Every structure is written in C-alpha cells, then in structure tokens.
Amino acid sequence: MKIRTLFVGIVAATFSAIAMAQAPIVIKFSHVVAADTPKGKASEFFAKRAGELTKGKAKVEVYANSALYKDKEEMEALQLGAVQMLAPSLAKFGPLGVKEFEVFDFPYIFDDTAELHRVTQGPIGASLLAKLEPKGIKGLAFWDNGFKSFSANTPIRTPADLKGKKMRIQSSKVLEEQMRSLGALPQVMAFSEVYQALQTGVVDGTENPISNLYTQKMHEVQKYLTLTNHGYLGYAVIVNKKFWESLPADVRGQLEQAMKEATVYANKLANEINEADLDRVKKSGKTTVYTPTKDEKLAFKKALAPVHVKMADRVGKDLLQSIYKETGFDPNKL
Ligand code: LMR
C-alpha cells in the first residue's frame, strides 16, 4: 500500500513538472481603449503573431478598455510587474518623470504621418525610448493612432469658441498649456471616465483622434466636432525591463519580430480606422462635423504657437529643435 501511494505520488509529480515545463510564458498586455481601435487591433495582432512565432511558448493576453487598470494605475502595475506590457499614449509619460515624450503634444508640430515617422521610426525615436530604461521600463516601438480634433457642445469655429470651456485632457503639461492658451480650463482625467464626464457636464469638451471619440461613443454626448487635427496622439509600446531581460533569448527574439510586424500593421491601419470612424460619426447624425477653412485653421495655429515657446524648456530645446529640423515646422513663421 505504501509503495502504491509512493508510486502515485511520483507519477503526479512528474506530470505536474512536465505541465510546468510546457506552461507558456504569460504576457499581460493592458490598455485603455476599445478593441476596435488602432491600438486594440494592433495588440491583438501582436498577441497572435507572438503565439505563432514562439510556437506557443509565449501567450499574450490582451485586456482592453481599462478592464484591468486605468491610465495611472497601469503605469504603476507595469513597474511592479503585475502586467508585463502596455501601450500608453505619449502624453502620459510625464507623471513617470519622462517629460520629453510631451514633445509629441506640441500643437501642429507634425503636418502628417510622413513627418511624424521620420521622428518616431528614426534616431530621435530610439533615443526617446532609451530614456525609459532608468525607470525599469523598456520601450519596444511607437504605434500610431492619429491627429486629434476638438469637440464640445457648442460650435467651434475660432479659438475664442473654446474660451471658458472645461476641456478634458490627458496628463500632459503641454496639453494643459495648449488649453490655457485658448482660454479654456484644462481638466486631467482618466480616459475611462471621459464619456460620463461629458454626459453629465463635468467637462464641456475634449480632444481625440476620431477612433477614440467614436468607440467610446463620445459623439453621442458632444454636439459639435471640428476637424482641427491640431495635435498628434500615438503610443509607446513598453514592457517591464526585468521581465523582458529574463526571457529566454530565442523567445525574446521571436517577440521582437512579432512586435516589428505589429508595428507595420498598426501604422498602416491607424489612418484607415480613423477615416472609417469619421464616416460612422457623420452617419450617426448625432454630432455636427465641421471642417475648418484654411484661414480658420491658421487662426488655431497662430493661437497655439506660443505653446511652443512656453513649453520648450519642459521637453528640452535641443530635442525640440531636432524635431523642427525633421518636420520643417517653425512657430515663428506662420
Ligand atoms: C486618452 O486618454 O485620451 C488616450 O490616451 C487614450 C488612448 O490610449 O488612446
């Protein structure tokens, strides 16, 4: 009887050891937007390719829509190792102490994605990602969403139309200054709370790429949307550095390959999704979509130009100049 018990014990232990040896490395990827957004789709694509390329050795679990953590909490969770991967908006790295990322929030600094990619996909982008390492974070890639537009419950034709409006922003000092320079009252708020804040009138308006506006149904609680395209919103895909470096080299290499492919996919898809969602917003008939004339756009550019001067020191003058060099933007020549 004793020998039988021992035998059963050994068999059970062997099986659980085999199961452990085969258990995949789980990578929890948390984000705050809907699954049908550029980031939502790119993270699912990455999860699929990671599974395929590692032949099941790594399993990426994607948690969308703030299901696990809200904006601030997810950064803390990554540093503590409660999740392994995130893709926060570039406007959300200030609280972490990496203020340089707020350079992407400078109004009208990029005219289009070609200019933007010269920065994100080149040496400037690489040096920005390297700034995360002392925080225990490794930056893997930049993923696009798109250009933001203002929405509110009153028409927005001129910068003066936003005067006195309470406007929700992400946690960026540059965005704070942007709203102040329009005479608006900036309110930092987690993304998951914006819909309700707009619905109940806690804030009057906000700024978003259309995919975020549409998938959170913000167009149902905002009567007016003006296609100002005044600033960029994109992401840095980041991992817990200790976790990343502890991965077997072959698995890490395969995950890097999956990330490369996901980045190409993300940056190709983002514009298509934003265009399609703009059509959906228009068709919904719930919000009036206005395209500003050239002169109206110039008035916004001029009203927002002082942000470049006021916030240069926050991101570093050298960094700002190196981006101007890539994009040709000059706030003094508008
Ligand atoms: C926001 O808070 O508005 C965005 O950063 C959300 C996102 O991740 O796109």
Side-chain angles (χ1 to χ4, degrees):
M1 188 64 178
K2 257 189 175 169
I3 289 181
R4 214 190 112 134
T5 311
L6 188 66
F7 177 73
V8 170
I10 290 171
V11 170
T14 310
F15 271 117
S16 84
I18 291 171
M20 289 248 303
Q22 290 177 342
I25 300 161
V26 174
I27 300 175
K28 289 190 180 159
F29 188 154
S30 167
H31 69 80
V32 299
V33 293
D36 274 345
T37 53
K39 177 163 62 179
K41 286 199 186 274
S43 56
E44 291 293 351
F45 180 95
F46 170 70
K48 184 169 163 284
R49 287 302 286 145
E52 287 166 1
L53 290 170
T54 65
K55 300 198 169 48
K57 280 192 204 153
K59 183 169 187 280
V60 179
E61 295 174 352
V62 178
Y63 297 89
N65 247 330
S66 310
L68 273 191
Y69 299 104
K70 295 200 249 174
D71 294 320
K72 199 165 149 281
E73 289 85 349
E74 71 172 15
M75 282 288 200
E76 288 159 7
L78 184 82
Q79 285 181 297
L80 292 171
V83 290
Q84 289 71 39
M85 194 173 276
L86 307 172
S89 140
L90 301 168
K92 291 177 183 168
F93 286 78
L96 196 73
V98 190
K99 299 175 289 190
E100 292 87 344
F101 279 52
E102 291 180 11
V103 77
F104 291 98
D105 300 331
F106 276 55
Y108 292 108
I109 191 163
F110 304 108
D111 267 336
D112 52 38
T113 34
E115 282 185 9
L116 168 83
H117 287 168
R118 282 209 287 279
V119 174
T120 52
Q121 314 300 322
I124 301 175
S127 76
L128 282 168
L129 292 181
K131 291 191 189 300
L132 298 168
E133 305 229 354
K135 311 285 172 192
I137 292 173
K138 180 145 181 68
L140 297 180
F142 288 100
W143 285 357
D144 285 347
N145 187 336
F147 291 91
K148 296 173 293 180
S149 286
F150 289 123
S151 64
N153 277 325
T154 42
I156 309 158
R157 295 284 169 101
T158 69
D161 293 333
L162 288 175
K163 207 163 173 205
K165 302 281 174 208
K166 284 177 278 168
M167 298 293 283
R168 180 268 171 174
I169 55 163
Q170 307 171 81
S171 58
S172 154
K173 295 285 177 213
V174 172
L175 294 180
E176 208 173 301
E177 185 55 39
Q178 169 199 275
M179 291 304 186
R180 288 201 196 286
S181 65
L182 297 171
L185 309 168
Q187 309 246 331
V188 175
M189 189 179 289
F191 186 65
S192 54
E193 286 159 19
V194 183
Y195 174 86
Q196 207 183 1
L198 290 169
Q199 189 187 35
T200 55
V202 168
V203 288
D204 302 308
T206 185
E207 55 169 9
N208 271 295
I210 309 304
S211 56
N212 278 355
L213 175 99
Y214 177 73
T215 53
Q216 298 295 322
K217 297 190 168 47
M218 292 183 205
H219 61 293
E220 294 183 3
V221 288
Q222 292 278 265
K223 291 201 179 76
Y224 297 92
L225 168 68
T226 297
L227 303 176
T228 42
N229 290 318
H230 59 275
Y232 173 71
L233 192 153
Y235 310 106
V237 188
I238 56 177
V239 279
N240 178 297
K241 187 167 180 277
K242 226 161 131 193
F243 166 78
W244 193 249
E245 285 167 0
S246 75
L247 289 172
D250 59 333
V251 171
R252 194 170 51 238
Q254 288 149 353
L255 291 173
E256 277 165 2
Q257 177 58 28
M259 183 52 63
K260 237 186 229 164
E261 293 177 23
T263 302
V264 171
Y265 174 83
N267 294 353
K268 188 172 163 287
L269 192 76
N271 193 34
E272 285 166 29
I273 294 183
N274 278 302
E275 293 280 324
D277 283 349
L278 178 58
D279 267 353
R280 293 183 181 111
V281 169
K282 284 180 179 163
K283 281 196 187 114
S284 78
K286 306 226 170 185
T287 188
T288 307
V289 180
Y290 180 70
T291 306
T293 63
K294 217 168 149 222
D295 285 348
E296 284 168 336
K297 206 161 171 180
L298 187 61
F300 274 100
K301 271 193 184 179
K302 284 189 169 160
L304 292 169
V307 178
H308 285 250
V309 180
K310 280 198 190 136
M311 300 311 280
D313 282 338
R314 178 160 173 88
V315 296
K317 285 200 170 99
D318 289 349
L319 172 64
L320 195 57
Q321 288 301 333
S322 69
I323 295 183
Y324 290 160
K325 227 168 134 190
E326 292 294 337
T327 68
F329 184 84
D330 184 346
N332 301 312
K333 280 195 200 142
L334 290 174

